Amino acid sequence: MFLIPCPYCGERDESEFSCAGEAHIDRPLDPDALTDEQWGDYLFHRKNPKGWHQEQWHHTAGCRRYFNMLRHTVSYEIKAVYKIGEPAPEIEQ
Amino acid sequence: MRRLADGGLIDRNQPVEFTFDGKTVTGYKGDTIASALLANDIKLIGRSWKYHRPRGIIGDGAEEPNALFQVEEGAYTTPNVRGTQAEIYPGMVVNSTNAWPSVKFDLLSVFGLFARFLPAGFYYKTFMWPQKFWMFYEHMIRKASGLGESPRENDPEHYEKTNAHCDVLVVGAGATGLMAALAAGRAGARVILADEQGAFGGRLLSEAGIVDGQPAASWVEQMVSELQNMPEVRLLKRSTVFGYHDQNYLTIAERINDHQSIAERQGPREKVWRVRAKQVVLATGAHERPILFGHNDRPGVMLASAVSTYINRYGIKPANRAVLYTNNNAAYQAALDLDAAGVAVTIVDCRSDADSALVNSVKQRKIQILFNHVVAEAKGAPVSAAVVKQLVKPGVLAAGEKIINCDLIASSGGWNPAIHLLAQSGGKVRWDDAQHCFVPDLIVQQQRSAGAANGSFTLAACLADGLQAGAAAATAAGHTAVDLTVPATDQTESFVISELWRSPNGPKPWRGAKQFIDPQNDVSVADIFLAAREGFHSVEHVKRYTAMGFGTDQGKVGNIAGMAVLAEALGQPIASVGTTTFRPNYTPVTFGAIAGPEIGGTLFDPVRKTAMHGWHEEHGALFENVGQWHRPWYYPQGDESMDEAVNRECLATRNSVGMMDASTLGKIEIVGPDAAEFLNRIYTNAWTKLGIDCARYGFMLGEDGMVMDDGVTIRLDENRFFMHTTTGGAAPVLNWMERWLQTEWPELEVYMTSVTDHWATTAVVGPNSRKVVSAVVEGIDFDKDAFPFMTSRKGTIEGVPVRVNRISFSGELAYEVNVSAHSGRMVWERLYAAGEPYNITPYGTESMHVLRAEKGFVIVGQDTDGSVTPVDLGMNWIMSKTKDYLGRRSLERVDCTREGRKQLVGLLSSDPQVVLPEGGQIVNQASDQIPLPMHGHVTSSYYSACVGRSIAMALVKDGFQRQGETIYVATADGAMLPAEITKPVFYDPEGERQHG
Ligand SMILES: [Zn+2]
C-alpha cells in the first residue's frame, strides 16, 4: 500500500488513487497522418521497465486531479510527483 | 509430573487449570499449552492428516508444525492455535485437532494400508479420475483429518484497526531487537518494538547465559523497563508482524485478549496495526531445523533448542534419557542444559571431531559423544530408543548399529534465519556456504536485517549487531545516534557446522523408514525423490506437487531441508534450487482481525437505493443488484412467476402505460463555453448544432474504436449539457472524460459534475403516457408538435420544478420526469395516481430489457463486449464524417474493416416457444463433428409477449449478409436449436410509436 504525495493534496493512502498507466503518451494531433502501425503503437505499445517508470495517476477519491509520478517498479520508491504539463524529472536508470 | 523443583520463568504461585481433550490439566501462569502438556508428560497430541501417525511437540515457537489445537468451543472456537505460543489461562478448553476418534485410539492405523494410495501428487492424480472416486476419498479424508474446525456461529468478539507512523519499526524483541530499539530510542527516534510472544526476550528466555553481568532473563527485564520509560518508544507484545508490503508499510496483529479467560476479556480481541515506518529493523531471529532420520515424526523427537527452552524457561525435565543428534557445536548447549536438569544424554555428532569452549565444557562433564555417528531411526511411539550407526565417510554407513534407549531424541541441523519478512519486502537472499543457510542479500526497501535474522548466530554478535542496526536506522530516519557500549556476555561460542540434512539410508533413499520433512503435511524424503523422478524439478512445482510447506506452519521447520533433499535428488547445489516464495501472512491471522470493526451483519460495500425504493418494497418488487444499486427487477402479483409478471408488465406498457424507476442511470452535467466542442471529441456524432432543450443519442468509443458507453445527452442551455450514461458506466465515464480534459485538452474550458444522486427519474412509458404526465405536470404544453420526440421541457409538480425529457428506451411514446431526489417519491406517487385510470403498471429491469430488445436497442456490456464497433452494430449513422473523435482513427484499422467480423443480428428460433440460451454458441450445421467452427453467440434472448414469440439478438460473423439463413445454437445438453437470422427489430420496425 503506497503513501502517495498528491501534488494538490499531499500524502494520502493509495486506496484513494487509481493508476492510469504510462505517462507522457500524447494523442497524435493528426491521427490520419499515421500509418496503422504508428497508430497501433500509440494505442497499445507500452514500456515495461524494471526500474524508473513515468506513470499517470488519478486522485479518484480525492481532488480528482490527474498527475504524473516517477516510481521505481522494483523498490516502488516514488521519487517525484508532478502536475500534468510540467516537465518530467531527470532519470538515472 | 515432569516439572523441575525450581527454575524457569513460570509463576509457581499461580497454578492454572485447563482442559485438554476433556481432561483437567494443571500448569502455571507463564506456561504455553505445549509446556503445560509436556510438564504433565502428555506427549501424544495429535495425528498426522494423511497417514494418521501419532505426533508430538517438536518446537517451541512459530515454527511448530504439530501442536495445533482447537481452542474454546462454540462461537469462541479458534482452529489451529499453535500450542507452543498460546498462553494458558484458567478454564481454557483445548482439544486436539487431528484425532478422530481420539488421539489414543488408533482406529485409523488402517490408513497405513490406505496411505499407499496417497503418494505425492495425490490431489492432482485423483482429480484426473472420475469424480465419484474423488468423492469417496474426500469423504474419508475429511472425516479422518481436517485441520481444525471453523466456528459455526457468529463471532461474539470485536476487533480494531489502527494506523501508526514511526521512525523505526523493530520486528522481534530478542537480544538483537532490544538493543536495536534501545539504540534507536536513545537517538530520539519514534520507535515501535513488536514481538509475537507474551514476553519480550526471544531466545534469551530460553538460555542460561549471562548478559551485562546478570542472568539473561533479568537483563531483559531491565531493558524492557528502560524502553518503557522512553516516551517515544511503543512496546507491542503478543503482536505478530505478519505482512511487509510496499514502501515500508507493515501490518501487525496484536492479540490483546487471547491469553485471558473469556470472562476476563475486555476491549477488542485483536487489533491490526497498519504501520508506515521510515526505517525497519528485522530482528526476527532464526528457526532451528532438524536433521531428518527414519521415523523422525514420532512423539519424543524434538528440536535441540526447544529442549533448552522447556528446561530453562518452563522448568521442565523433558526426558529421563536423551540422545542429542547434531551437525554443529551450538547444539552442545542443549546437552549442558539436559545434564543440568538431570537428564542422561548421549551426543551423536556426524562430524569427526569438534573443539571449542562449549564442546570442551561438555567433554568435561563426561557426557558421552559419538563422533562420526548418525541417528538412523527412532524406535517406539513415543520414542523408546534411537538406532545409531557409524559413518565410514560422508553418506556411507558402516555395518552394524547401536541401540540407545531413550525417551527423547533432540536434533539440530543448523539454523535458518527468519527471512520471511525480508522476502515479502522484495529482498533477495543468498546461500551462505559456511553456515549452510540462506541469509539476506539484496534489500529494496528502507530496511536492515540484524542478529540471527542476518546470520549472526552468537549472542555476542546479536547484541552488537542490534545496537549497530538500531543506531543506523535512527540516523537514516534523521536522528543522531548516541554512543552506547555493547553489553558483555559469556555466550561467545562461534557457530561451526558441517552440512548434513538427513541420515544416509542407502542407495534408494525412498525405501525404508520414512524420513519426514514436513510433518504437518506428511511429506517425506521419498515424496521429494518421487516428484523429482516424475519430472518436477522446479522447487515451486515440487512444493505444489507434494504439498510441502502448504500447512498452517508454511514449512518453517522443514522447507529448507526439503530444498536440500530436492537438490540431492537432482544432483544440484542448494543455491541453484533456491527457495519457494515467502508470502504474507508470516503466521495465520484470524479473519476477524482482518475484517476489523466492520465485522457484523451488513457488508462493507455500500448499498445504493433510489428515492422511490420504499415504494417499490411496499409494492412487492423483487430487486436485482446493478453495481451497488438495488434496482426493482419485477413486481410479481399474487403467485405470479417471473415470466408471467414480465409478460403482464410488457403488455400493459405497450397497450396502455407503464412506469419505471430510471434514477440509477448515470447523470453528468457538462458546463462551459467549450462544452459542445468537448462532446464533439468524446462522442462519435456532432453536438455543436444541437438546439437548446433538444436531446441526442450518443456513442462513446474507447480510443481503440470499441463501444464503451452510450446514452442520451440534452442541451439545457448554450453552454450546459446533461449527459446520461449507463448505470454501471457513470463513474468510469466521468473519470474517462476528466482524463482527456485534464491531460490532453486543458485548453477547453469545461466543468463536469456528477449529478446521478441529485435527480430522481420516473419513466412513464406507453401510448397513454401523455395523458398521465400532462395530468400531473404544470407549465408544459404536451401537444405532440409543441413537445416533440427527443426534446426536453421544464415544468412543475405541486410547485416543485421538474424537467421532462421526451426520450424512449422502449420505442413507445415516453416521458422521463426528473426531479430533485428529495421529491422523487412524491412525483412517482403523483404519476402513479394519475395513471390508475389507465391501469398504469410499474415494471422493473427485466421488462425494460425485453421492451428494448423488441426494438433491437443494444445494452452496452450485454450486446457488446469490448470488441464491438458501431459499424459491427450497424449504426454507421451515428458516426460523424466531418470531425475527429476518440476512437475514429481506429475504425479505419485493417482489423476493423476486414471481413468476418461479428455483427449484430436478430435471431428467431424455429420453435417460437423456445427461448435461445444467452451466451449460446452459434454454429452453421447441426453436427457433432469436432471441432465445429463457432460463428458467433447469442447476446440477448427473451420471450416477448408483445410479439407473441421468443426473440433474440446475436453477434454473428458477417451476419449482415446472412439474413434469412438458418443457424444452430448449441446448448449445454448437446441439443442444436435451429434459428433464422433476421434484422434485430421485432416490433414497430418503422419506429412510429415513439413519435405518437
Ligand atoms: Zn489530490
Side-chain angles (χ1 to χ4, degrees):
Chain A
M1 187 84 79
F2 303 161
L3 193 63
I4 296 176
C6 171
Y8 302 93
C9 309
E11 287 189 332
R12 306 292 303 169
D13 199 89
E14 183 189 343
S15 56
E16 295 181 4
F17 296 83
S18 43
C19 182
E22 187 181 331
H24 304 295
I25 295 176
D26 296 333
R27 186 170 201 267
L29 290 174
D30 183 3
D32 294 315
L34 271 58
T35 63
D36 270 12
E37 195 178 335
Q38 289 168 325
W39 181 256
D41 190 51
Y42 154 70
L43 276 184
F44 301 121
H45 287 181
R46 296 294 180 268
K47 294 181 192 133
N48 185 20
K50 185 176 183 180
W52 293 108
H53 191 219
Q54 295 165 330
E55 297 172 338
Q56 197 176 78
W57 283 74
H58 185 208
H59 196 178
T60 320
C63 65
R64 297 199 55 80
R65 300 300 296 267
Y66 283 84
F67 58 92
N68 291 327
M69 181 191 293
L70 184 58
R71 187 177 69 96
H72 200 277
T73 58
V74 178
S75 69
Y76 297 158
E77 180 188 344
I78 296 170
K79 177 162 278 188
V81 291
Y82 51 103
K83 295 176 182 174
I84 300 292
E86 290 179 352
E90 298 282 316
I91 312 172
E92 340 86 50
Q93 275 290 354
Chain B
M1 192 67 181
R2 289 200 161 267
R3 199 73 76 170
L4 294 165
D6 50 30
L9 304 175
I10 45 170
D11 185 349
R12 291 175 192 251
N13 296 319
Q14 290 199 60
V16 174
E17 276 192 359
F18 66 102
T19 63
F20 174 65
D21 283 344
K23 282 192 334 192
T24 300
V25 178
T26 306
Y28 293 114
K29 189 169 172 59
D31 263 327
T32 62
I33 298 171
S35 68
L37 293 180
L38 285 172
N40 285 275
D41 215 11
I42 297 171
K43 285 187 168 175
L44 176 54
I45 47 89
R47 288 187 177 272
S48 71
W49 80 269
K50 198 162 95 177
Y51 301 127
H52 221 67
R53 289 166 68 108
R55 289 289 155 80
I57 296 157
I58 287 181
D60 62 2
E63 76 290 345
E64 173 62 35
N66 288 343
L68 302 179
F69 301 109
Q70 189 87 24
V71 171
E72 296 302 338
E73 294 174 317
Y76 285 90
T77 197
T78 307
N80 301 327
V81 173
R82 279 176 312 286
T84 48
Q85 293 186 299
E87 300 159 65
I88 58 168
Y89 52 80
M92 190 182 206
V93 179
V94 180
N95 284 293
S96 51
T97 295
N98 286 340
W100 175 75
S102 82
V103 285
K104 290 263 172 67
F105 180 52
D106 195 6
L107 174 74
L108 294 187
S109 61
V110 61
F111 267 71
L113 294 174
F114 191 55
R116 66 192 177 90
F117 298 111
L118 294 166
F122 163 74
Y123 281 109
Y124 298 90
K125 288 166 180 164
T126 305
F127 278 127
M128 304 294 284
W129 294 357
Q131 199 182 4
K132 59 180 179 179
F133 283 119
W134 170 245
M135 306 215 1
F136 164 75
Y137 282 119
E138 189 190 30
H139 176 76
M140 294 295 287
I141 291 167
R142 292 220 186 282
K143 181 83 176 162
S145 62
L147 277 172
E149 258 194 54
S150 309
R152 288 161 201 275
E153 297 162 51
N154 282 344
D155 193 339
E157 308 235 37
H158 63 279
Y159 301 82
E160 279 183 3
K161 286 179 187 169
T162 191
N163 294 292
H165 293 250
C166 65
D167 292 323
V168 181
L169 171 63
V170 180
V171 186
T176 310
L178 288 169
M179 285 307 296
L182 183 77
R186 286 274 186 84
R190 294 170 68 196
V191 177
I192 295 176
L193 174 62
D195 193 278
E196 61 186 347
Q197 295 205 59
F200 282 176
R203 278 220 64 77
L204 291 178
L205 306 176
S206 304
E207 288 173 5
I210 300 291
V211 182
D212 206 14
Q214 51 188 320
S218 24
W219 180 78
V220 170
E221 267 180 47
Q222 179 199 311
M223 288 287 287
V224 170
S225 76
E226 184 163 358
L227 289 167
Q228 273 168 340
N229 287 330
M230 295 185 183
E232 294 296 337
V233 175
R234 185 191 293 279
L235 304 181
L236 295 176
K237 60 183 175 183
R238 300 188 182 91
S239 298
T240 305
V241 180
F242 63 90
Y244 196 141
H245 308 275
D246 309 325
Q247 295 185 343
N248 269 6
Y249 176 73
L250 296 94
T251 43
I252 306 174
E254 182 185 10
R255 291 171 298 280
I256 296 170
N257 269 312
D258 277 6
H259 64 292
Q260 308 193 90
S261 66
I262 292 167
E264 286 174 309
R265 292 178 189 178
Q266 282 182 347
R269 179 187 175 203
E270 293 182 66
K271 181 192 276 187
V272 166
W273 291 77
R274 303 190 287 199
V275 180
R276 292 190 183 278
K278 284 185 187 161
Q279 297 287 323
V280 172
V281 175
L282 295 176
T284 47
H287 296 130
E288 195 173 25
R289 63 195 186 213
I291 306 175
L292 314 180
F293 53 87
H295 299 315
N296 61 330
D297 62 324
R298 298 268 173 89
V301 175
M302 296 178 81
L303 291 166
S305 59
V307 168
S308 292
T309 299
Y310 290 113
I311 295 169
N312 294 324
R313 180 169 176 181
Y314 299 108
I316 292 167
K317 182 182 178 185
N320 296 315
R321 180 99 183 64
V323 166
L324 176 69
Y325 181 22
T326 182
N327 63 356
N328 66 78
N329 54 348
Y332 279 63
Q333 183 61 49
L336 290 181
D337 293 336
L338 282 162
D339 187 61
V343 181
V345 57
T346 301
I347 297 179
V348 176
D349 193 327
C350 68
R351 300 172 296 172
S352 54
D353 196 7
D355 182 24
S356 75
L358 180 58
V359 173
N360 288 334
S361 60
V362 168
K363 288 176 177 169
Q364 280 162 19
R365 300 281 304 173
K366 306 276 189 253
I367 293 170
Q368 185 188 20
I369 306 175
L370 298 173
F371 285 112
N372 279 324
H373 277 73
V374 299
V375 173
E377 209 175 293
K379 292 279 187 200
V383 167
S384 58
V387 180
V388 173
K389 296 189 179 181
Q390 194 174 1
L391 276 173
V392 181
K393 57 180 181 178
V396 181
L397 298 174
E401 60 187 35
K402 294 185 185 66
I403 307 285
I404 303 176
N405 290 329
C406 61
D407 53 352
L408 170 68
I409 304 176
S411 87
S412 174
W415 289 80
N416 297 322
I419 52 177
H420 306 68
L421 293 176
L422 168 104
Q424 286 178 27
S425 77
K428 298 278 181 268
V429 295
R430 66 175 170 83
W431 183 252
D432 179 335
D433 278 321
Q435 305 197 96
H436 298 286
C437 58
F438 287 105
V439 293
D441 187 17
L442 178 73
I443 61 169
V444 298
Q445 300 204 30
Q446 296 299 313
Q447 160 209 113
R448 45 192 44 75
S449 294
N454 203 28
S456 300
F457 292 139
T458 68
L459 179 55
C462 286
L463 292 165
D465 229 18
L467 192 153
Q468 197 272 334
T475 305
H479 297 273
T480 308
V482 298
D483 271 345
L484 292 173
T485 42
V486 181
T489 175
D490 60 344
Q491 305 287 302
T492 55
E493 174 90 2
S494 54
F495 183 70
V496 181
I497 181 173
S498 304
E499 187 173 20
L500 181 72
W501 298 96
R502 60 184 197 87
S503 299
N505 61 347
K508 292 182 174 163
W510 52 91
R511 295 272 170 81
K514 280 188 188 302
Q515 300 181 335
F516 280 89
I517 293 169
D518 177 347
Q520 192 171 113
N521 278 348
D522 272 340
V523 178
S524 70
V525 167
D527 293 316
I528 303 293
F529 272 89
L530 177 67
R533 279 206 308 279
E534 293 189 359
F536 294 90
H537 292 177
S538 150
V539 65
E540 295 284 6
H541 294 160
V542 170
K543 169 182 170 170
R544 282 153 185 80
Y545 196 58
T546 61
M548 177 180 80
F550 262 89
T552 63
D553 61 333
Q554 298 195 317
K556 290 185 182 68
V557 164
N559 263 13
I560 304 290
M563 292 157 201
V565 172
L566 178 62
E568 179 193 347
L570 299 174
Q572 290 178 2
I574 297 172
S576 67
V577 168
T579 67
T580 50
T581 308
F582 294 88
R583 293 188 176 88
N585 303 334
Y586 173 66
T587 49
V589 178
T590 64
F591 281 115
I594 290 166
E598 291 88 7
I599 193 171
T602 53
L603 298 174
F604 189 47
D605 197 36
V607 171
R608 298 175 82 182
K609 296 176 179 175
T610 72
M612 296 83 105
H613 189 86
W615 191 96
H616 306 318
E617 285 182 328
E618 289 158 24
H619 289 75
L622 297 182
F623 292 87
E624 75 167 335
N625 295 338
V626 182
Q628 292 165 333
W629 287 104
H630 284 195
R631 295 195 70 177
W633 191 13
Y634 60 99
Y635 298 78
Q637 292 184 352
D639 44 11
E640 262 182 344
S641 69
M642 175 166 157
D643 287 346
E644 289 163 349
V646 169
N647 290 346
R648 173 181 51 75
E649 291 171 10
C650 289
L651 287 168
T653 302
R654 292 248 187 252
N655 294 331
S656 178
V657 62
M659 62 193 294
M660 189 191 73
D661 184 350
S663 307
T664 65
L665 280 188
K667 305 175 202 75
I668 300 168
E669 263 201 34
I670 301 170
V671 182
D674 298 314
E677 170 58 21
F678 179 71
L679 290 177
N680 271 345
R681 300 182 188 187
I682 290 285
Y683 274 132
T684 60
N685 43 357
W687 295 82
T688 320
K689 291 178 185 160
L690 182 68
I692 291 171
D693 284 337
C694 290
R696 185 165 285 171
Y697 177 70
F699 252 171
M700 217 177 269
L701 310 185
E703 188 71 312
D704 60 1
M706 304 303 151
V707 175
M708 196 177 85
D709 205 80
D710 70 340
V712 169
T713 291
I714 300 148
R715 189 169 210 164
L716 303 179
D717 212 332
E718 180 64 24
N719 296 331
R720 181 178 295 268
F721 291 81
F722 187 93
M723 173 186 280
H724 289 100
T725 72
T726 57
T727 296
V733 164
L734 183 59
N735 290 346
W736 169 255
M737 294 196 297
E738 282 187 345
R739 185 179 184 193
W740 287 101
L741 187 63
Q742 290 181 31
T743 66
E744 285 287 334
W745 307 324
E747 74 279 7
L748 297 184
E749 191 179 345
V750 177
Y751 308 92
M752 288 178 279
T753 310
S754 167
V755 292
T756 303
D757 297 274
H758 304 48
W759 295 96
T761 308
T762 303
V764 183
V765 181
N768 285 320
S769 58
R770 179 179 290 121
K771 293 174 193 155
V772 175
V773 178
S774 61
V776 174
V777 179
E778 292 168 34
I780 296 178
D781 179 357
F782 280 92
D783 177 80
K784 66 185 272 222
D785 298 320
F787 186 0
F789 183 54
M790 293 304 271
T791 62
S792 171
R793 297 288 182 269
K794 285 188 282 191
T796 59
I797 297 179
E798 296 194 1
V800 179
V802 297
R803 181 170 273 278
V804 183
N805 301 325
R806 193 180 158 186
I807 56 182
S808 178
F809 193 43
S810 59
E812 291 297 329
L813 173 67
Y815 299 87
E816 291 191 358
V817 183
N818 294 276
V819 67
S820 163
H822 301 290
S823 303
R825 180 159 177 167
M826 180 276 283
V827 165
W828 175 277
E829 287 178 344
R830 293 294 172 281
L831 290 164
Y832 182 71
E836 275 181 314
Y838 311 100
N839 186 32
I840 193 166
T841 301
Y843 66 89
T845 51
E846 194 63 24
S847 292
M848 175 188 81
H849 285 175
V850 177
L851 293 168
R852 64 90 202 177
E854 288 167 351
K855 290 293 298 173
F857 297 156
V858 298
I859 291 184
V860 172
Q862 175 163 347
D863 302 296
T864 71
D865 61 3
S867 70
V868 177
T869 70
V871 181
D872 299 332
L873 298 173
M875 295 176 73
N876 307 49
W877 54 267
I878 207 168
M879 294 144 56
S880 166
K881 292 185 178 60
T882 57
K883 61 159 183 123
D884 192 24
Y885 52 85
L886 294 179
R888 182 192 56 83
R889 173 65 183 82
S890 290
L891 297 174
E892 294 164 14
R893 293 173 63 234
V894 175
D895 188 62
C896 288
T897 55
R898 65 177 165 83
E899 289 190 355
R901 286 190 66 83
K902 289 184 179 179
Q903 295 165 333
L904 185 78
V905 297
L907 289 182
L908 289 175
S909 68
S910 301
D911 180 343
Q913 297 306 310
V914 166
V915 178
L916 299 170
E918 283 181 357
Q921 289 294 321
I922 291 167
V923 296
N924 283 349
Q925 314 135 27
S927 149
D928 57 3
Q929 168 203 332
I930 293 173
L932 198 53
M934 296 184 288
H935 289 266
H937 63 276
V938 179
T939 60
S940 294
S941 182
Y942 313 93
Y943 184 79
S944 164
C946 301
V947 182
R949 59 155 299 142
S950 65
I951 57 169
M953 293 156 76
L955 287 166
V956 177
K957 285 180 187 170
D958 296 322
F960 296 159
Q961 306 164 25
R962 298 189 61 191
Q963 304 290 321
E965 289 184 28
T966 297
I967 51 79
Y968 300 86
V969 177
T971 65
D973 61 8
M976 293 284 188
L977 304 173
E980 184 191 335
I981 297 179
T982 67
K983 286 199 162 26
V985 187
F986 306 97
Y987 190 80
D988 183 27
E990 304 306 319
E992 286 165 355
R993 298 176 68 91
Q994 64 196 7
H995 294 283

